[in-house]
Amino acid sequence: MTLLRFAPSPTGSLHLGGLRMALYNHLYSRKNNGKWILRIEDTDATRYVPGAVQEIQAVLLWAGLDYDFGPGKNGPHGPYFQSKRLDLYQDYAKKLLESGHAYRCFCSLDTLTETREKLARTGSNLTYDKRCLHLTDEEVARRVKAGEKSVIRLNDGTLPDRSTVRDLVFGEIRDAHLSLGTDPILLKSDLYPTYHLASVVDDHEMGITHVLRGEEWIPSLPLHLDLYASLKLQPPRFAHIPILLNPDGSKMSKRTGDVSVVEYIRNGWEPEALLNWLALTGWGARHQPMSPFSSSTAQRQVQAAPDSTSILPLPSLISQFDLTALTHRSSSLDQQKLRYLNRQHIALKAATPEGLHQLAMRVHGLVKEVFPHSLYASVENTKKAVVALEGRLENMAFLPVLVPYLFEDPNLASPEARSMLSSRKITEEQREPLNDMSQPETNPKSKQDQPREWVPETLYHVLHEEQKRLGVQLKMFMLTLRHALTGMKDGPGIVQIMCVLGKERTMKRLR
């Protein structure tokens, strides 16, 4: 079975890059009839943020990314917090010591700094002189018994040359070992593991078959493969995903509030639109897959990547997802595309009774807050407002600002309403006949044209006939009605507005 994991650290709010990584793990596992684990990598106690785990879970729930195993979901792979797996890491570190693939290092921080600087002055590529590697077993045992603090280092001298590594996205990566430090630390003096040891042990123990993670971990891939080899374990397949950048080209960070997923939730963005946006950012390459794990048939059948503004709900993203179509470079997020996608996803939801009700219920609290005294701030009226806005609604949070006149009387004293009057340049002689439509009792002809049914088809006919009867230009006629009904220059069509307002409110405003 295909099994993946999303392994965030609880050191702050989940940012957009983290949600995208969770999404890609979800897409790959579901497309391959697999499952995925939520694993919390909380071994760095100094950076732990209370409530971060609960926030991660809440964000994944909001986004509809339902992990199969993890906190709150029992499974055969637990515990799902690394801080509760410390004995396991120490057991594996002991195996490495016994096999000679690791050794204890007693050097102090001052000694390590001095050694590193000395090596750098000589032009050496080493970052440590391996002095503790040459300690005898008796000396090591004596110092451990005396209570001296030590770390456990990997003995890279026992490992094969690994000048290239393979990746499901980037293919063959050359000179991969050049970026590694000398004999990397695996277990710290406080008995907590480094990321390298913990992730390898957990991925093996949990049965992970594929690791999808950010490209910043590419330099560590050779080390992780070395650990698998030293422990005589079969490694999973690795896919490193190019990272997302802020619009200014800087790397995303949990300390940057404007990329926090929670902020996007608070600001009213649709989860489907956010996932659509994140998935398609960087998903657009059409290069041949270079992975040695892909079959020759798969390499011939390169699937065309979707356009960056394709409207793809989660099931469509799952069916179309293709690791080989990911770009090999970092990508910047385009907020304009999010606005476009959000508008389209709102329209898709509003087209079904269930989706429309969901949208209205979600924004109803905001409508009540903005119009606390309105008699028309109901869920049903909110639904009508969403429908009237059709494809105009970019964000549900904007609804009260776009159509306030659907919930309360328009402010005809506003600068916008006054500018509409001045721009029309309608004379008093022209203005007076327009009142006929709202005064049927004083105009028999107008009375005959009054709509018997307050439905779009009838209203279209009545307005057309009234405009012809008055002999007023269509643009002037519609602008006059828009001013009286809304006091705003832009918005839904007049007929749509009249349908939402109903006959009584419409006639009152015309009068």
Side-chain angles (χ1 to χ4, degrees):
M1 181 187 72
T2 300
L3 184 63
L4 294 90
R5 48 69 164 181
F6 172 56
S9 300
T11 54
S13 294
L14 189 68
H15 62 60
L16 294 174
L19 180 61
R20 179 171 173 252
M21 196 58 60
L23 171 63
Y24 280 0
N25 276 276
H26 181 84
L27 298 181
Y28 193 90
S29 65
R30 295 299 182 258
K31 183 169 184 176
N32 291 280
N33 298 314
K35 298 181 183 296
W36 65 284
I37 293 170
L38 172 63
R39 185 173 77 213
I40 304 300
E41 301 195 337
D42 60 343
T43 55
D44 189 347
T46 60
R47 297 177 59 210
Y48 175 77
V49 174
V53 174
Q54 291 74 19
E55 183 181 300
I56 291 169
Q57 292 176 288
V59 166
L60 294 176
L61 178 64
W62 171 83
L65 301 180
D66 190 24
Y67 58 89
D68 300 284
F69 308 109
K73 294 189 178 183
N74 293 328
H77 318 285
Y80 297 102
F81 291 82
Q82 286 189 332
S83 60
K84 297 180 181 180
R85 302 169 66 87
L86 299 182
D87 290 346
L88 193 61
Y89 310 134
Q90 292 167 27
D91 287 344
Y92 274 84
K94 184 179 179 182
K95 290 179 182 178
L96 290 169
L97 286 173
E98 292 172 347
S99 66
H101 289 297
Y103 62 93
R104 289 190 180 276
C105 173
F106 298 90
C107 296
S108 67
L109 287 176
D110 289 341
T111 300
L112 292 173
T113 301
E114 180 183 341
T115 301
R116 188 165 51 249
E117 291 174 351
K118 181 179 178 180
L119 289 168
R121 286 195 298 270
T122 63
S124 173
N125 290 325
L126 298 177
T127 57
Y128 178 58
D129 60 7
K130 296 173 173 278
R131 66 179 66 185
C132 289
L133 174 62
H134 307 295
L135 295 175
T136 63
D137 291 343
E138 292 77 11
E139 177 68 9
V140 170
R142 183 189 66 76
R143 297 177 74 165
V144 169
K145 186 176 181 180
E148 286 191 46
K149 285 191 174 183
S150 64
V151 300
I152 295 179
R153 289 180 177 272
L154 181 69
N155 181 5
D156 59 19
T158 64
L159 301 171
D161 176 43
R162 201 184 296 280
S163 59
T164 61
V165 294
R166 299 279 183 175
D167 183 78
L168 288 171
V169 173
F170 288 90
E172 188 175 88
I173 303 173
R174 297 181 181 277
D175 301 324
H177 257 142
L178 296 181
S179 59
L180 293 178
T182 306
D183 291 358
I185 294 174
L186 303 178
L187 196 71
K188 295 177 284 188
S189 59
D190 58 4
L191 301 182
Y192 273 74
T194 60
Y195 169 81
H196 310 296
L197 178 63
S199 64
V200 165
V201 169
D202 286 341
D203 287 345
H204 170 70
E205 287 285 330
M206 292 181 173
I208 301 300
T209 62
H210 296 74
V211 173
L212 273 62
R213 60 187 182 185
E215 68 171 317
E216 66 268 26
W217 292 111
I218 286 179
S220 300
L221 179 57
L223 168 58
H224 296 173
L225 293 176
D226 288 343
L227 282 171
Y228 281 106
S230 299
L231 292 165
K232 295 181 172 56
L233 304 176
Q234 179 66 35
R237 297 177 180 180
F238 288 89
H240 290 85
I241 311 300
I243 62 174
L244 291 177
L245 301 175
N246 295 314
D248 62 1
S250 61
K251 182 182 175 182
M252 286 187 179
S253 167
K254 292 181 180 181
R255 294 179 292 275
T256 307
D258 57 353
V259 297
S260 166
V261 180
V262 170
E263 287 303 308
Y264 281 79
I265 297 174
R266 289 173 182 159
N267 290 331
W269 299 99
E270 302 302 309
E272 298 85 355
L274 197 66
L275 295 182
N276 196 160
W277 181 51
L278 292 175
L280 295 184
T281 300
W283 175 4
R286 290 181 172 82
H287 47 75
Q288 282 289 117
M290 296 178 290
S291 167
F293 307 110
S294 300
S295 67
S296 58
T297 302
Q299 295 209 24
R300 289 194 298 270
Q301 297 174 345
V302 182
Q303 181 177 344
D307 183 81
S308 61
T309 53
S310 298
I311 310 304
L312 298 175
L314 191 55
S316 299
L317 289 173
I318 291 172
S319 65
Q320 295 190 39
F321 185 64
D322 182 5
L323 280 175
T324 67
L326 297 182
T327 180
H328 289 177
R329 62 183 183 277
S330 302
S331 302
S332 295
L333 290 169
D334 186 342
Q335 295 286 335
Q336 284 288 95
K337 290 180 180 178
L338 173 60
R339 288 192 280 270
Y340 170 79
L341 293 170
N342 206 67
R343 186 164 59 245
Q344 302 305 316
H345 278 280
I346 288 175
L348 278 177
K349 283 186 182 178
T352 67
E354 299 82 5
L356 180 59
H357 183 74
Q358 179 192 22
L359 290 171
M361 288 298 294
R362 209 175 75 226
V363 79
H364 181 237
L366 177 61
V367 171
K368 292 286 290 182
E369 181 181 332
V370 176
F371 309 107
H373 306 298
S374 173
L375 300 176
Y376 305 100
S378 64
V379 173
E380 285 305 310
N381 212 46
T382 303
K383 288 183 184 179
K384 293 177 181 178
V386 173
V387 173
L389 283 165
E390 293 183 292
R392 298 168 180 266
L393 191 52
E394 190 175 275
N395 186 309
M396 289 302 296
F398 300 166
L399 186 141
V401 177
L402 292 174
V403 286
Y405 47 80
L406 297 182
F407 303 100
E408 62 182 11
D409 289 338
N411 179 12
L412 299 183
S414 69
E416 184 175 1
R418 289 181 179 276
S419 70
M420 292 173 72
L421 281 177
S422 62
S423 66
R424 286 200 327 252
K425 298 179 181 177
I426 302 175
T427 65
E428 287 303 317
E429 289 75 15
Q430 291 171 319
R431 198 187 307 267
E432 188 62 31
L434 294 177
N435 291 327
D436 290 346
M437 186 175 176
S438 62
Q439 302 289 349
E441 66 278 1
T442 64
N443 190 303
K445 179 69 174 87
S446 178
K447 187 173 184 178
Q448 293 174 14
D449 289 339
Q450 288 302 305
R452 294 195 179 108
E453 291 184 281
W454 204 261
V455 292
E457 295 78 8
T458 306
L459 290 173
Y460 276 118
H461 173 74
V462 169
L463 290 182
H464 180 68
E465 291 300 314
E466 189 73 6
Q467 183 254 330
K468 285 200 305 183
R469 185 184 70 79
L470 294 173
V472 180
Q473 290 181 353
L474 179 62
K475 183 177 180 181
M476 183 185 297
F477 178 69
M478 300 306 288
L479 187 61
T480 303
L481 291 177
R482 185 173 293 280
H483 171 266
L485 296 176
T486 73
M488 297 177 69
K489 294 178 182 179
D490 300 313
I494 293 299
V495 168
Q496 293 168 303
I497 293 171
M498 293 171 70
C499 285
V500 177
L501 291 174
K503 183 174 182 179
E504 182 180 343
R505 294 174 76 198
T506 298
M507 303 306 282
K508 178 181 176 183
R509 292 186 186 186
L510 291 179
R511 283 193 292 272

